[in-house]
Amino acid sequence: MNATTTNPSGGGGGGSCGGGGGGSNSGGSGGGSAGPCGACKFLRRKCVAGCIFAPYFDSEQGAAHFAAVHKVFGASNVSKLLLHIPAHKRPDAVLTVCFEAQARLKDPVYGCVAHIFALQQQVVNLQAEISYLQAHLATMELPSPPPPPPPPSSLVTPPPLSIADLPSASSMPTSYDLSSLFEPMVQPTAWVMQQRALLHNQNLHFGGGSGGSSSGGGGGSGDLQALARELLHRHSASPSGSVPCSEASPSPSLSK
Amino acid sequence: MVNVRCATCKYLRRRCPSDCIFSPYFPSNNPQRFESVHRIYGASNVAKMLEQLPSSLRPQAAETLCYEAESRIQDPVYGCAAIIFQLQQQLHNTECELAKTRAEIAIIRSNGHGQESDIYSADEY
């Protein structure tokens, strides 16, 4: 997993949700010769020059992605959010907003918090395993005493996680490799699935599709992965120098 | 009889009906909670999302919506993704530490201390 620094270089195409540089090949502002951006197409409104969404939602697939964003957040809320963010950070913001919107549509109860729970659980499980192995290592390094009998093969069941245990977003580093967001979802452990079953009877799933995720991330995360592929493709295909309607929007840290 | 409005209806300055969808999850003693979700999602979107769910699931949905909204307010660019990144990094570090510990055990075993049980065989780990 990478945590690359966001590269503040010029480049308008990065971070497009299902789209490349804006609503036109020129990467220019909304509207223009290429038609409305995906957002304005979805909203059935005129895409004006300087449309805040145009650089991030192209007229082809951007409309579908914007539909999810609109359904969860609302166009005006996202617009306000983007307006309060520096232009060079907006691609990343759009990506994460799209991610959260997709996750919430796939899992209306937990949204992307399901991802967080699953990751936390994995960390806890691994830490328990490390503790056990380190204890055994210490025993092995001592002369002569026989090793302790191995514990039951299953790891110690960690205490149930709750939303109160979730970390906060404050004091987070500010450089991320957004492509890792869309890597196949970690496989939920049996414990996590049990917890979810205890909470409700529905066959919910992490980040999407039914049946939970198999070793790659469940069917539901297929859309998220498709989004990631599009983003990476667009990012690698878009000219680095193209600047959308707003100020220079440096490409996000999507490159490997 | 005093009808206490929930935080949502107080914020929106409207009457709080007895079947208000917000009132179980946005009590009047925590106005900030609703303000966060309203700022990020909007009251109508939250209402729609809650109405689509069975009532047994709405508390969890409201909690996660609040959590995501507050994360987004704290970090407008990355929101919850920041936490996911942190956990992914932590998971990676933990995996490295686990691999290192297993390697140490394997080394000790190969140096002649390997009389332990088969659960530490390389195949299993």
Side-chain angles (χ1 to χ4, degrees):
Chain A
M1 158 218 350
N2 300 316
T4 58
T5 304
T6 303
N7 184 7
S9 59
S16 302
C17 282
S24 65
N25 291 332
S26 63
S29 55
S33 57
C37 71
C40 294
K41 202 172 180 180
F42 177 81
L43 296 170
R44 297 184 183 182
R45 68 183 190 190
K46 182 170 181 252
C47 192
V48 299
C51 172
I52 189 81
F53 299 116
Y56 317 111
F57 298 96
D58 76 346
S59 60
E60 293 167 9
Q61 291 153 341
H65 292 282
F66 184 79
V69 171
H70 179 62
K71 187 164 182 185
V72 175
F73 293 95
S76 62
N77 291 328
V78 177
S79 173
K80 284 181 214 166
L81 179 75
L82 292 177
L83 284 170
H84 285 94
I85 291 173
H88 69 282
K89 286 283 192 181
R90 286 178 192 164
D92 285 2
V94 168
L95 262 177
T96 56
V97 163
C98 287
F99 172 77
E100 285 191 28
Q102 296 270 11
R104 179 60 63 172
L105 290 178
K106 294 294 181 186
D107 187 342
V109 180
Y110 292 95
C112 69
V113 175
H115 289 56
I116 296 174
F117 275 140
L119 286 167
Q120 276 192 319
Q121 190 55 53
Q122 283 221 331
V123 169
V124 165
N125 288 346
L126 287 180
Q127 285 173 339
E129 189 173 348
I130 288 171
S131 297
Y132 172 73
L133 290 179
Q134 284 177 339
H136 185 73
L137 183 62
T139 305
M140 288 172 75
E141 286 170 341
L142 289 173
S144 51
S153 57
S154 60
L155 294 171
V156 175
T157 303
L161 293 172
S162 71
I163 292 178
D165 299 325
L166 293 173
S168 73
S170 58
S171 316
M172 293 286 162
T174 55
S175 55
Y176 304 111
D177 177 9
L178 290 179
S179 60
S180 64
L181 261 187
F182 302 97
E183 282 168 4
M185 183 52 208
V186 294
Q187 182 175 3
T189 62
W191 180 85
V192 175
M193 296 305 291
Q194 183 189 27
Q195 292 300 306
R196 300 194 72 180
L198 285 174
L199 288 172
H200 52 83
N201 294 326
Q202 284 190 12
N203 185 24
L204 294 178
H205 39 262
F206 292 108
S210 55
S213 26
S214 54
S215 61
S221 61
D223 286 348
L224 296 175
Q225 292 180 35
L227 177 61
R229 282 194 293 273
E230 282 179 35
L231 291 163
L232 292 172
H233 173 72
R234 297 287 180 178
H235 178 72
S236 60
S238 63
S240 60
S242 64
V243 175
C245 54
S246 54
E247 297 168 33
S249 303
S251 55
S253 54
L254 290 178
S255 55
K256 297 284 186 182
Chain B
M1 184 167 100
V2 177
N3 184 18
V4 179
R5 292 185 294 173
C6 68
T8 304
C9 296
K10 263 190 186 174
Y11 182 92
L12 298 175
R13 297 182 184 180
R14 66 185 190 191
R15 201 179 129 264
C16 189
S18 56
D19 59 350
C20 176
I21 190 142
F22 296 101
S23 61
Y25 321 111
F26 300 98
S28 57
N29 60 356
N30 192 353
Q32 185 60 38
R33 186 174 148 93
F34 172 73
E35 287 175 26
S36 301
V37 294
H38 180 57
R39 186 170 153 187
I40 299 300
Y41 298 103
S44 62
N45 287 333
V46 175
K48 283 180 207 165
M49 285 192 267
L50 292 177
E51 281 163 2
Q52 285 173 356
L53 297 170
S55 52
S56 59
L57 297 176
R58 288 176 191 166
Q60 294 95 311
E63 283 299 324
T64 56
L65 285 169
C66 291
Y67 179 78
E68 288 187 30
E70 283 164 15
S71 298
R72 182 63 64 173
I73 289 171
Q74 287 184 15
D75 187 342
V77 179
Y78 296 102
C80 271
I83 297 162
I84 292 173
F85 287 130
Q86 184 204 30
L87 286 169
Q88 285 176 333
Q89 184 66 51
Q90 189 179 2
L91 186 63
H92 175 73
N93 294 342
T94 309
E95 285 168 345
C96 290
E97 191 180 347
L98 179 63
K100 181 183 159 201
T101 305
R102 286 176 181 163
E104 288 174 3
I105 290 173
I107 289 170
I108 291 176
R109 287 184 67 206
S110 69
N111 287 341
H113 290 256
Q115 303 296 326
E116 290 73 21
S117 69
D118 288 340
I119 66 167
Y120 297 107
S121 66
D123 291 339
E124 262 192 277
Y125 290 96

